[in-house]
Amino acid sequence: MSTEIVKDIICPQCGESQKYRLYTSISAQENPELKESILDETLFDWRCQRCSYFAAMAYPFIYLDNKAGYVICCTPGGSGRAVEPAGPLQGYVKRRVKNLAELKEKLLIFDNGLDDAAVELMKNALCTIVSRAYNNVRLHAYFSKVEENKMSFAIFLPRQTEPVYHSTRGEVYLQSQEVLRTLNYNDPEGFATVDARLAKQVIEAYQNT
């Protein structure tokens, strides 16, 4: 169930008081328009109606998709007290993310029926290869889409606002799944953070088998 709170916001530029609606929980089925604002990364956007001052009003909330069976706790910045849902969630995939970009990626992964741990292994391998072409700079990659038998990723380079896109074969995803099966990998209890750090740990464990 989607729940919202209306707060008074004072514009730091002109001092105008305005109403701002924020959400403590978002249901994919009840509010598809909010899902779209997550996918275009505008959920936190706020603009003063008087002077057009813009700000990103980041706050923690829960995203729940009962049909697909997953729930995600979004805690911007990775700090502060996390908002966690009440009620039975047995059998749900539970994840924790720290910003809208990560939340968007999880939605795209799960809506495509993919295992996000396997996708993180793919991203690790892809970033290792691509990084060499850019003198081993640090990269950030996000899953983008599936096309035919390829999976596309948006890769962000340092000091560049627009990503470059790279694709990899679907067979690499199957190989990543096999790595997880070899290690008897299971999701941690509670809300798990499945990211590049976890992928690195999995790969190190696999190399030591």
Side-chain angles (χ1 to χ4, degrees):
M1 178 178 179
S2 297
T3 55
E4 63 183 60
I5 299 172
V6 177
K7 287 192 173 186
D8 290 315
I9 301 294
I10 304 296
C11 176
Q13 180 164 281
C14 71
E16 181 80 1
S17 177
Q18 296 168 50
K19 300 294 184 182
Y20 178 71
R21 181 177 287 105
L22 58 84
Y23 301 87
T24 58
S25 65
I26 294 174
S27 166
Q29 282 69 47
E30 293 181 14
N31 295 103
E33 75 282 1
L34 295 180
K35 178 177 181 178
E36 288 304 313
S37 69
I38 292 172
L39 292 176
D40 61 25
E41 299 182 48
T42 60
L43 181 69
F44 292 150
D45 289 2
W46 177 82
R47 188 174 297 278
C48 177
Q49 297 174 2
R50 180 181 180 184
C51 70
S52 296
Y53 177 84
F54 174 81
M57 310 292 285
Y59 55 85
F61 68 95
I62 285 292
Y63 181 88
L64 178 66
D65 191 322
N66 285 311
K67 184 176 180 180
Y70 65 87
V71 56
I72 303 173
C73 177
C74 181
T75 54
S79 62
R81 185 175 179 181
V83 176
E84 295 200 2
L89 292 171
Q90 186 175 359
Y92 279 63
V93 174
K94 305 179 187 71
R95 294 291 183 265
R96 188 183 302 278
V97 298
K98 61 179 181 295
N99 54 49
L100 280 186
E102 292 183 359
L103 176 59
K104 172 184 176 179
E105 180 184 44
K106 293 299 181 187
L107 267 59
L108 293 174
I109 290 172
F110 294 146
D111 287 353
N112 276 281
L114 301 173
D115 180 338
D116 60 337
V119 171
E120 288 295 338
L121 294 183
M122 294 180 68
K123 286 165 56 177
N124 180 282
L126 183 60
C127 283
T128 299
I129 295 171
V130 174
S131 178
R132 293 170 185 160
Y134 294 95
N135 298 317
N136 295 313
V137 296
R138 186 176 181 182
L139 306 175
H140 295 283
Y142 294 92
F143 171 78
S144 178
K145 58 185 175 181
V146 176
E147 285 185 318
E148 297 177 351
N149 192 37
K150 292 184 178 180
M151 295 171 65
S152 179
F153 296 84
I155 298 180
F156 289 84
L157 302 169
R159 297 179 297 279
Q160 292 191 23
T161 57
E162 295 298 321
V164 293
Y165 288 88
H166 288 266
S167 297
T168 186
R169 303 186 319 277
E171 289 85 348
V172 180
Y173 175 75
L174 299 178
Q175 293 167 2
S176 297
Q177 286 185 305
E178 184 59 32
V179 169
L180 296 172
R181 280 193 292 268
T182 299
L183 295 173
N184 294 316
Y185 172 83
N186 292 302
D187 276 352
E189 292 293 329
F191 284 80
T193 300
V194 177
D195 57 7
R197 180 178 298 180
L198 182 137
K200 183 178 180 181
Q201 294 171 350
V202 168
I203 290 170
E204 290 176 350
Y206 182 72
Q207 290 172 342
N208 292 326
T209 57

